[in-house]
């Protein structure tokens, strides 16, 4: 029920419209968590994550997953379940409620929160969808998104997208430029005017996040390396030695 975002989601004419809208404009109601959408011939994967430093992360994970499934059920029917659901949270003592609300095929302690369902579902029409209302609300969200983009500091936006992308992708100048809606050359020039580079900002954010996770969380070193965007523990260990003169501990 998040304002025009929630109304647009409900009035989407098909599941596909709803899911693509969700991916494009989720930033209007969620500030920092990573989110992504992958669609292929067989399945759709909606992914998101919260940093472990966020308090009460289990409640955030449960709420977001249940809300997404609940909204899709308003389109496809209350008997629908995703093919599978993966959650980063630890397994509850009794997982029966999660299986009932989300999916019988649920995995806990996953690296990324995911809701997975067949790509054929994207074509299902919503019995309550209204294309005219949906288009109007999408335009309103687009205007709000543009205002948000213009009012935000570029460097803050760059840092936000670097942090959101670290666990699942190789953060590049090309990818961040697309996220902040400027050309690679323009982004490079604007970062240079602030006496920073894409590489220096990524490295600084990795170091900051590593320090926080090492201090505040009891996680395996390999998991901390993954959350900081390193594909292997040796790569993370080399970075930690460069930062502090010794390996992570």
């Amino acid at each position: 029920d998040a304002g025009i975002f929630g109304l647009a989601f409900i009035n989407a004419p098909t599941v596909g419209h709803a899911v693509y809208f969700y991916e494009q404009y989720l930033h209007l109601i969620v500030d920092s968590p990573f989110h992504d959408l992958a669609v292929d011939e067989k399945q759709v994967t909606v992914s998101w994550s919260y940093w472990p430093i966020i308090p009460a992360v289990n409640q955030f994970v449960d709420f977001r997953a249940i809300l997404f499934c609940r909204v899709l059920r308003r389109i496809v029917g209350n008997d629908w379940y995703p093919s599978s659901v993966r959650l980063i949270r630890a397994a509850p003592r009794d997982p029966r409620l999660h299986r009932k609300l989300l999916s019988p095929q649920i995995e806990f302690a996953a690296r990324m929160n995911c809701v997975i369902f067949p790509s054929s579902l994207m074509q299902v029409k919503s019995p309550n969808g209204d294309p005219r209302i949906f288009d109007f609300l999408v335009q309103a969200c687009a205007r709000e998104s543009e205002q948000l983009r213009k009012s935000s500091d570029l460097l803050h936006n760059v840092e936000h997208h670097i942090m959101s992308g670290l666990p699942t992708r190789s953060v590049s100048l090309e990818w961040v430029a697309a996220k902040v809606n400027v050309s690679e050359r323009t982004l490079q020039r604007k970062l240079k005017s602030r006496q920073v580079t894409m590489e220096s900002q990524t490295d600084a954010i990795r170091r900051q996040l590593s320090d926080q996770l090492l201090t505040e969380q009891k996680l395996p070193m390999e998991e901390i390396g993954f959350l900081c965007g390193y594909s292997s523990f040796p790569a993370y260990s080399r970075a930690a030695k460069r930062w502090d003169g010794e390996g992570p501990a």
Side-chain angles (χ1 to χ4, degrees), residues 1 5-7 27 46 53 55 61 68 97 99 101 123 126 138 140 146 150 154 159 180 186 199 213 225 235 239:
D1 300 325
F5 181 91
L7 285 173
H27 65 277
V46 178
I53 56 177
V61 169
F68 181 80
L97 183 60
R99 293 194 180 106
L101 296 176
Q123 308 303 320
S126 171
V138 167
E146 180 65 13
K150 288 181 177 179
L154 175 71
E159 292 172 348
V180 297
T186 298
E199 291 75 16
L213 293 173

Side-chain angles (χ1 to χ4, degrees), residues 22 48 50 59-70 73 85-87 101-102 113-115:
Y22 177 87
W48 72 97
Y50 297 99
Q59 289 91 324
F60 280 100
V61 169
D62 290 349
F63 175 78
R64 177 97 167 261
I66 292 170
L67 180 63
F68 181 80
C69 291
R70 182 181 178 184
R73 287 187 182 115
V85 172
R86 302 170 191 159
L87 301 178
L101 296 176
L102 293 170
N113 300 297
C114 299
V115 175

Side-chain angles (χ1 to χ4, degrees), residues 90-104:
R93 291 183 179 179
D94 186 351
R96 285 179 294 181
L97 183 60
H98 284 77
R99 293 194 180 106
K100 178 182 179 181
L101 296 176
L102 293 170
S103 172

Side-chain angles (χ1 to χ4, degrees), residues 2 9 15 64-66 75 101 109 116 118 124 127 142 155 171 182 186-187 190 199 213 230 238:
F9 205 82
V15 170
R64 177 97 167 261
I66 292 170
I75 300 176
L101 296 176
I116 302 170
V124 173
L155 193 56
V171 175
V182 298
T186 298
L187 178 57
K190 290 188 175 183
E199 291 75 16
L213 293 173
Y230 292 97
R238 287 193 297 271

Side-chain angles (χ1 to χ4, degrees), residues 8-224:
F9 205 82
I10 292 169
N11 281 281
T14 68
V15 170
H17 284 89
V19 171
Y20 281 116
F21 171 82
Y22 177 87
E23 165 60 18
Q24 186 171 3
Y25 294 111
L26 185 66
H27 65 277
L28 294 177
I29 60 171
V30 177
D31 182 28
S32 58
F34 163 83
H35 58 97
D36 194 28
L37 172 66
V39 182
D40 60 32
E41 294 181 356
K42 294 184 178 180
Q43 67 182 30
V44 177
T45 304
V46 178
S47 308
W48 72 97
S49 183
Y50 297 99
W51 297 112
I53 56 177
I54 293 177
V57 69
N58 286 357
Q59 289 91 324
F60 280 100
V61 169
D62 290 349
F63 175 78
R64 177 97 167 261
I66 292 170
L67 180 63
F68 181 80
C69 291
R70 182 181 178 184
V71 173
L72 285 194
R73 287 187 182 115
R74 295 185 67 165
I75 300 176
V76 299
N78 291 328
D79 295 333
W80 173 79
Y81 284 97
S83 305
S84 63
V85 172
R86 302 170 191 159
L87 301 178
I88 62 171
R89 60 157 295 159
R93 291 183 179 179
D94 186 351
R96 285 179 294 181
L97 183 60
H98 284 77
R99 293 194 180 106
K100 178 182 179 181
L101 296 176
L102 293 170
S103 172
Q105 303 300 320
I106 188 167
E107 173 189 342
F108 297 100
R111 279 194 163 186
M112 188 67 59
N113 300 297
C114 299
V115 175
I116 302 170
F117 54 90
S119 55
S120 58
L121 195 74
M122 298 285 271
Q123 308 303 320
V124 173
K125 294 182 179 180
S126 171
N128 302 311
D130 188 318
R132 291 177 300 177
I133 295 177
F134 178 73
D135 289 344
F136 173 80
L137 294 171
V138 167
Q139 292 174 23
C141 286
R143 289 193 296 269
E144 186 175 343
S145 179
E146 180 65 13
Q147 290 174 358
L148 181 64
R149 184 186 68 82
K150 288 181 177 179
S151 64
S152 298
D153 177 71
L154 175 71
L155 193 56
H156 173 78
N157 279 345
V158 168
E159 292 172 348
H160 165 82
H161 289 299
I162 290 173
M163 181 167 284
S164 71
L166 282 178
T168 59
R169 66 177 71 241
S170 177
V171 175
S172 65
L173 181 71
E174 177 185 9
W175 182 75
V176 173
K179 287 292 185 180
V180 297
N181 200 29
V182 298
S183 69
E184 294 177 52
R185 182 174 294 182
T186 298
L187 178 57
Q188 214 165 16
R189 185 177 68 251
K190 290 188 175 183
L191 290 176
K192 186 177 180 180
S193 70
R194 290 166 171 79
Q195 298 182 327
V196 297
T197 65
M198 186 70 196
E199 291 75 16
S200 68
Q201 287 303 101
T202 302
D203 192 61
I205 289 170
R206 281 173 162 168
R207 181 175 186 176
Q208 178 187 8
L209 182 60
S210 173
D211 289 345
Q212 286 180 298
L213 293 173
L214 288 170
T215 302
E216 302 174 22
Q217 301 296 318
K218 296 179 180 179
L219 293 172
M221 292 297 178
E222 292 80 2
E223 186 70 13
I224 293 177

